[in-house]
Amino acid sequence: MHAVIINGSPRVQNHSNTNRILRKFIDGFCEAGNTFELYSLSDITTWDFAREAYEKNDNIIFALPLYVECVPGLMMEFLETLPSKNKDTKLSFILQSGFAEGLQLRCGETYLKILTERLNCGYGGAIVKGDNFGIRFAEGEEVEKLTEPYKEIGKIFGKEGDFFNSKCVSFTGPEILPWLLRVYIGIYFKTGAKKNFAHMAKSWGCDKPIEYKPW
Amino acid sequence: MTVIVNTTDNKDITKILEKNLFGRSLEYEIFEASDMHISHCRGCNFCWLKTPGVCAIKDDYEKILKELPRASQLWVISDTALGFLNHKGKNIFDRIVPFLTMNLEFRDKMMRHVMRYDNRLDIGIIYQGGIDKDYMIRWNKKITDNMKSKPLGVFDVGEILEATKCMQ
């Protein structure tokens, strides 16, 4: 199986959580001898090649972070340049975001189905997973640990060619976290999380509180 | 105040809006984004963690962002693509991230970012072209829930008079 994989994240590749996720996904996908082409839309100079690959291939995976509940503006700009195809072309998606609960990603996921219809392609399903914000701040083995689950998903896609397998569907995790965990997280948001964010900000050279109102 | 951002090249839309808003005691500011340089969001997170509230991209979007803390409504006028706002319209929303803080809370039983400012910024959309309207209404609701505000509606450009009735 050959797949064209397009990273729709606007963030430069070195800092792209989606790229880190894809590296692990591709490890799993290639285990059975599958091949791939990877394009990153953050590098606009590659768009012509990505478009050509989309036109010539029938197994396309878009990987993207959720931006304001839908496709990032930069990815939308690229999508607008794509021709309509036919149902022999299958679009599958890896949708990731920061919030942990699956419910947070469903609005974005719904658009991916609409998008597929508008491009007149077949839908290969979507891997939907939140709780990925921390990948950016992880290093070394921590990154491997956080992204490791995507390797199994890559293996499944490499075997089945879509994301309809029950393991892919359940990969999202809970739609809503158990109430007791929510209570704990709510307390954490008001205490430890604030401290952590302030610490991150300081490490980035920020000299203002993160609640600062510039205007 | 009402902030209106027209991302289309069709300035007749804003002319009609102005004509219908004339004489009303409504403070508004119209931005013709086709005359402005507005980039896409690059997801750098600087607006949350390095320069809180300030976007790292130094382009014309800052003029819009500066008005939002004293606005009660934001209307985005956009062309459409693939059943949704086109990239120019979507970029206006992606770049609004500095209006939120990195901090988190549970609000209406959902995890949300804490708003940076105290004003409630309701959001409406006027579109020009084909669109999946049911989805757009859902999306409008979702983004305003995230921003602790209310959706003002999704209007075809042919329904612009209906949209102006919602402007206050």
Side-chain angles (χ1 to χ4, degrees):
Chain A
M1 184 191 304
H2 184 74
V4 169
I5 302 172
I6 299 175
N7 179 355
S9 172
R11 194 181 286 174
V12 290
Q13 201 169 347
N14 283 351
H15 297 297
S16 164
N17 291 347
T18 309
N19 187 57
R20 290 177 169 190
I21 285 167
L22 276 176
R23 283 201 314 235
K24 198 59 80 172
F25 174 85
I26 288 166
D27 280 352
F29 176 72
C30 291
E31 269 194 9
N34 294 312
T35 56
F36 71 99
E37 299 162 55
L38 175 62
Y39 301 92
S40 295
L41 299 183
S42 61
D43 181 359
I44 292 173
T45 63
T46 67
W47 281 22
D48 287 345
F49 302 110
R51 190 181 308 106
E52 191 179 342
Y54 164 86
E55 289 178 25
K56 286 184 176 174
N57 290 272
D58 58 10
N59 187 21
I60 318 290
I61 300 171
F62 282 101
L64 64 146
L66 191 66
Y67 268 40
V68 190
E69 304 301 333
C70 202
V71 170
L74 181 74
M75 179 172 161
M76 199 68 205
E77 188 172 357
F78 174 76
L79 292 170
E80 288 164 22
T81 71
L82 298 181
S84 180
K85 291 190 79 180
N86 57 58
K87 300 294 180 191
D88 292 336
T89 295
K90 185 174 53 195
L91 303 188
S92 308
F93 299 90
I94 298 172
L95 176 65
Q96 63 94 4
S97 81
F99 284 127
E101 296 180 316
L103 195 61
Q104 296 276 7
L105 295 101
R106 297 305 177 195
C107 181
E109 181 191 22
T110 298
Y111 179 68
L112 301 179
K113 294 174 188 169
I114 295 168
L115 168 66
T116 304
E117 284 173 16
R118 295 281 174 152
L119 289 171
N120 198 30
C121 294
Y123 186 59
I127 278 290
V128 175
K129 182 88 171 71
D131 207 15
N132 287 315
F133 186 79
I135 294 175
R136 175 165 193 186
F137 298 93
E139 290 177 5
E141 286 187 11
E142 183 78 9
V143 177
E144 301 298 311
K145 188 179 164 190
L146 288 170
T147 56
E148 184 66 24
Y150 284 93
K151 187 172 181 178
E152 180 63 22
I153 297 300
K155 283 184 197 174
I156 294 170
F157 190 91
K159 189 177 170 188
E160 303 191 5
D162 58 42
F163 290 130
F164 296 126
N165 183 294
S166 60
K167 284 184 182 172
C168 297
V169 174
S170 63
F171 189 70
T172 305
E175 289 296 291
I176 295 177
L177 295 171
W179 72 269
L180 194 57
L181 185 55
R182 281 182 141 221
V183 170
Y184 171 78
I185 291 172
I187 295 168
Y188 175 70
F189 282 167
K190 292 175 182 170
T191 55
K194 277 190 173 181
K195 282 183 187 171
N196 279 346
F197 296 151
H199 179 73
M200 284 178 195
K202 196 175 177 184
S203 72
W204 279 23
C206 178
D207 59 1
K208 294 183 173 59
I210 56 177
E211 306 85 1
Y212 180 69
K213 297 176 173 66
W215 298 301
Chain B
M1 187 186 64
T2 295
V3 172
I4 300 163
V5 182
N6 179 16
T7 65
T8 77
D9 294 330
N10 184 356
K11 293 181 182 173
D12 286 342
I13 299 172
T14 40
K15 279 181 190 166
I16 294 169
L17 277 179
E18 286 197 284
K19 188 180 168 189
N20 283 279
L21 294 175
F22 181 76
R24 282 173 54 179
S25 57
L26 175 71
E27 186 190 353
Y28 64 90
E29 176 141 9
I30 294 175
F31 292 94
E32 293 290 355
S34 62
D35 298 333
M36 302 163 76
H37 178 67
I38 297 177
S39 169
H40 60 273
C41 173
R42 296 171 194 161
C44 66
N45 293 138
F46 280 23
C47 62
W48 281 350
L49 290 170
K50 189 165 185 174
T51 54
V54 178
C55 182
I57 302 169
K58 296 302 169 198
D59 64 7
D60 292 328
Y61 190 81
E62 192 168 278
K63 294 173 191 167
I64 298 170
L65 195 59
K66 279 181 175 175
E67 296 300 328
L68 298 184
R70 63 188 193 94
S72 59
Q73 292 193 350
L74 169 65
W75 287 86
V76 175
I77 304 165
S78 177
D79 286 312
T80 63
L82 300 166
F84 190 63
L85 304 179
N86 77 347
H87 71 279
K88 291 180 181 176
K90 183 60 168 39
N91 285 341
I92 299 300
F93 289 103
D94 287 358
R95 293 284 302 278
I96 213 166
V97 172
F99 198 64
L100 288 66
T101 75
M102 177 78 224
N103 287 332
L104 302 165
E105 64 182 348
F106 277 100
R107 194 185 334 125
D108 305 326
K109 299 181 179 176
M110 295 286 279
M111 292 181 194
R112 319 266 191 201
H113 284 279
V114 174
M115 299 306 296
R116 187 173 301 281
Y117 299 96
D118 297 328
N119 63 317
R120 191 182 103 185
L121 184 67
D122 295 342
I123 293 175
I125 294 161
I126 298 168
Y127 62 91
Q128 178 174 257
I131 208 162
D132 187 313
K133 191 156 184 175
D134 288 343
Y135 180 75
M136 283 306 304
I137 291 168
R138 177 181 172 186
W139 184 78
N140 188 200
K141 171 83 167 55
K142 185 79 168 75
I143 62 167
T144 49
D145 283 349
N146 289 345
M147 292 179 64
K148 213 175 181 177
S149 66
K150 300 290 180 191
L152 295 165
V154 178
F155 298 89
D156 180 273
V157 71
E159 303 168 316
I160 198 163
L161 296 182
E162 295 300 312
T164 55
K165 287 176 188 170
C166 302
M167 294 180 182
Q168 49 186 297

